Amino acid sequence: MKKASSRCRYGWLGLGIALCLGEPSAALAHPHGWVDMSVEGIFDDEGNLTALRQRWRMDPFYSQVVMEEMATADDATSMAERLDALGVEIRDNLATQHNLTTITLDDDPLAQGDVSDTNTDYRDERLIYDFVLPLATPQPLAGRTLRYRIFDPTYYIEMVHEANEDGSRPLPGALTLANAPEGCATVVVKATPDPQKVMEAAMLDKSETGEPNLGRFFAETGEITCPG
């Protein structure tokens, strides 16, 4: 089988391009890989939430595939330069899909700004992508609740907050706050998909997609609440 390009291999990061990954044919049922993520809510000096800083750690198999392919590049660039270029393409792909992130304030959708401060690295056999996702307008949270969900609409990739070994609870660093007003609190709410949706995902092989936005049924919800 012809080897897929690096663009195809990480197409799911922004476009849900499952067929390009070239994974073993024995891999059946969604999801086919995962991302461990952590999020930091960033506040300004006026107490407004301005951005969500996100860190995505790709699963070891996916990370290995991408790193091996980048290592074969026939040019004079360093690995650091190749990682930077990868980060630019990831950023551009994600921008076409709202960065796989939905944000609401008291259940009203919030607009996003342009991603900044991107960084791509490889540590502990995991490919890591860091970025800052600004809100289009800083938001006061006094007496309000901001919620976000981060998910691959195709559910080809499962995206979950950093958790303990059995996945039963998020780690303390999975959702944190920077410069937040006193009393603000966070919680990560686990997804509780309908058994029918679980069965639907389990019946999909890597060449199939389910209903539009299947991934939303499996998405965790991060909540940031500040006292009024």
Side-chain angles (χ1 to χ4, degrees):
M1 181 174 67
K2 183 177 180 181
K3 189 175 183 180
S5 68
S6 59
R7 180 186 296 271
C8 264
R9 288 190 184 278
Y10 57 79
W12 59 263
L13 282 168
L15 305 174
I17 303 175
L19 300 182
C20 293
L21 289 174
E23 294 186 12
S25 59
L28 301 175
H30 284 43
H32 296 274
W34 77 91
V35 171
D36 291 316
M37 60 189 183
S38 57
V39 178
E40 180 183 50
I42 302 174
F43 289 79
D44 62 20
D45 292 338
E46 284 70 50
N48 300 315
L49 185 76
T50 64
L52 298 177
R53 183 187 303 274
Q54 301 186 32
R55 169 169 292 184
W56 296 6
R57 292 197 309 136
M58 318 307 173
D59 71 69
F61 174 78
Y62 173 81
S63 299
Q64 179 183 0
V65 168
V66 174
M67 293 303 296
E68 287 180 352
E69 183 161 314
M70 288 202 299
T72 65
D74 188 18
D75 58 39
T77 59
S78 66
M79 183 56 71
E81 291 171 324
R82 295 172 192 176
L83 284 168
D84 286 344
L86 174 65
V88 169
E89 291 210 41
I90 292 174
R91 180 200 65 195
D92 293 346
N93 282 345
L94 291 174
T96 69
Q97 292 287 306
H98 303 288
N99 306 293
L100 304 188
T101 304
T102 63
I103 308 172
T104 62
L105 183 58
D106 293 339
D107 298 324
D108 294 323
L110 289 182
Q112 303 175 12
D114 294 329
V115 162
S116 64
D117 297 337
T118 62
N119 184 67
T120 311
D121 200 359
Y122 182 71
R123 294 195 302 274
D124 300 324
E125 300 182 343
R126 304 285 290 271
L127 187 65
I128 302 171
Y129 178 62
D130 291 276
F131 62 100
V132 172
L133 176 59
L135 303 181
T137 304
Q139 297 292 328
L141 296 194
R144 311 173 80 183
T145 298
L146 180 137
R147 296 180 175 89
Y148 67 81
R149 301 168 80 198
I150 304 167
F151 60 93
D152 168 18
T154 69
Y155 197 48
Y156 194 87
I157 300 298
E158 182 177 43
M159 306 187 71
V160 293
H161 288 80
E162 296 276 6
N164 61 343
E165 288 188 6
D166 64 9
S168 61
R169 64 180 185 275
L171 295 177
L175 175 53
T176 58
L177 303 177
N179 199 37
E182 185 176 356
C184 291
T186 65
V187 64
V188 174
V189 181
K190 303 289 286 185
T192 55
D194 185 280
Q196 182 63 34
K197 296 301 178 184
V198 176
M199 183 177 297
E200 178 182 338
M203 293 176 66
L204 296 171
D205 69 25
K206 68 176 184 178
S207 64
E208 296 178 315
T209 57
E211 69 171 76
N213 264 340
L214 176 64
R216 74 185 185 276
F217 297 103
F218 300 87
E220 297 176 334
T221 302
E223 297 184 357
I224 303 173
T225 304
C226 293

